[in-house]
Amino acid sequence: MSAVAASTGDGAACGARHVAIIMDGNGRWAKKRMMPRAFGHKRGVDTVREIARAARDMGLEALTLYAFSSENWKRPADEIADLMGLLRSFIRNDLDELVANNTRLKIIGDYRALAPDIVELIEDAMARTAQNTGTTLAIALNYGSQQEIARAAAKAAAKGAITPEAIEAELDTACLPPLDLLIRTSGEIRLSNFLLWQAAYAEMWFTDVLWPDFTPAHLREALEQFAARERRFGGR
Ligand code: IPE
Ligand code: IPE
Ligand code: MG
């Protein structure tokens, strides 16, 4: 039995299947150390690697990470270039491990608007991991939830009636399990245009910990609290 399932209190199958994280606080982490923001982002990638491994070890079906929002284009060009550079090196350096560990890589968001070489790296990485059956690591890139919902509604309309089910089937997350738990680091209590639709009945867990300081023990703590919550989905 996985550690996540083992933490369920009442014997019901209430371990989380799908966890999403708004990875926030890299800049503040660096600032506290009087280092450039890029240093915080670099350490943030180390945390991504560690948390992706932990999610796999804990038996999660899916881990969705918010890496670059559609609003993050408002940042200075040099910071955007640093983030894109880290994305390139993450895919280049970590793909073999994802393949070996049976992890399936998925991208949500309008990633095709990124630089052509990144699009190629992403598509190659998704193709190489497509048959994997372990944890799905979904990375949100150039992702905005309102844009995603609008795209999905347009696709649904082109096929017929616009119903919640029809929209849901066209969301970027359509192949992922329902979202159980949404975590945000760094003390901000907002969603910043992330998974607005999918979070309708997700549980929320906010922590002051800055993303580079987030550890598997924090993830475990969030999952344990999740398992102790009563979800009613509007019923009683
Ligand atoms: C999160 O850290 C990473 C991205 C949004 C890309 P931030 O860069 O937002 O760090 P803070 O919020 O300024 O500390
Ligand atoms: C949300 O963080 C986006 C990511 C974590 C990728 P931001 O730092 O961009 O969010 P705001 O601007 O504080 O809402
Ligand atoms: Mg931030």
Side-chain angles (χ1 to χ4, degrees), residues 14-191:
C14 54
R17 297 170 63 199
H18 182 187
V19 175
I21 309 180
I22 302 174
M23 312 184 285
D24 200 9
N26 294 348
R28 278 163 284 168
W29 185 91
K31 193 173 178 197
K32 268 178 35 182
R33 286 160 181 77
M34 303 212 287
M35 295 294 282
R37 293 178 66 85
F39 183 64
H41 291 315
K42 196 163 182 297
R43 289 295 291 266
V45 175
D46 295 338
T47 306
V48 167
R49 191 174 293 118
E50 223 185 329
I51 295 302
R53 285 178 187 146
R56 196 193 68 227
D57 294 346
M58 293 175 193
L60 289 185
E61 279 176 53
L63 174 70
T64 299
L65 301 176
Y66 203 6
F68 193 86
S69 77
S70 40
E71 288 73 36
N72 286 147
W73 296 110
K74 294 176 191 166
R75 295 192 181 200
D78 60 340
E79 181 171 1
I80 294 172
D82 289 338
L83 289 165
M84 294 301 152
L86 286 168
L87 174 60
R88 283 187 184 92
S89 54
F90 175 77
I91 299 175
R92 287 198 185 111
N93 299 333
D94 288 71
L95 182 58
D96 285 348
E97 178 176 334
L98 298 181
V99 172
N101 289 332
N102 198 24
T103 301
R104 188 169 63 121
L105 183 71
K106 157 111 192 126
I107 304 295
I108 63 168
D110 188 11
Y111 73 86
R112 289 185 188 84
L114 300 177
D117 72 298
I118 297 183
V119 176
E120 200 178 317
L121 277 173
I122 286 172
E123 290 186 337
D124 170 62
M126 288 197 292
R128 277 187 62 196
T129 62
Q131 305 307 321
N132 287 355
T133 54
T135 302
T136 297
L137 175 62
I139 301 188
L141 291 175
N142 191 21
Y143 176 87
S145 185
Q146 292 175 336
Q147 295 88 328
E148 176 198 31
I149 293 167
R151 276 198 308 272
K155 284 189 203 161
K159 290 181 184 173
I162 307 179
T163 62
E165 294 74 22
I167 291 174
E168 191 151 286
E170 303 293 346
L171 292 173
D172 297 354
T173 52
C175 63
L176 300 175
L179 182 63
D180 292 313
L181 176 63
L182 178 59
I183 295 173
R184 183 170 189 147
T185 61
S186 88
E188 310 294 356
I189 315 291
R190 55 175 172 262
L191 296 180

Side-chain angles (χ1 to χ4, degrees), residues 179-181 196-204 226 231-235:
L179 182 63
D180 292 313
L181 176 63
L196 304 179
W197 180 290
Q198 295 85 343
Y201 272 102
E203 297 292 321
M204 311 269 174
F226 169 85
R231 301 178 82 188
R232 287 190 287 274
F233 299 97

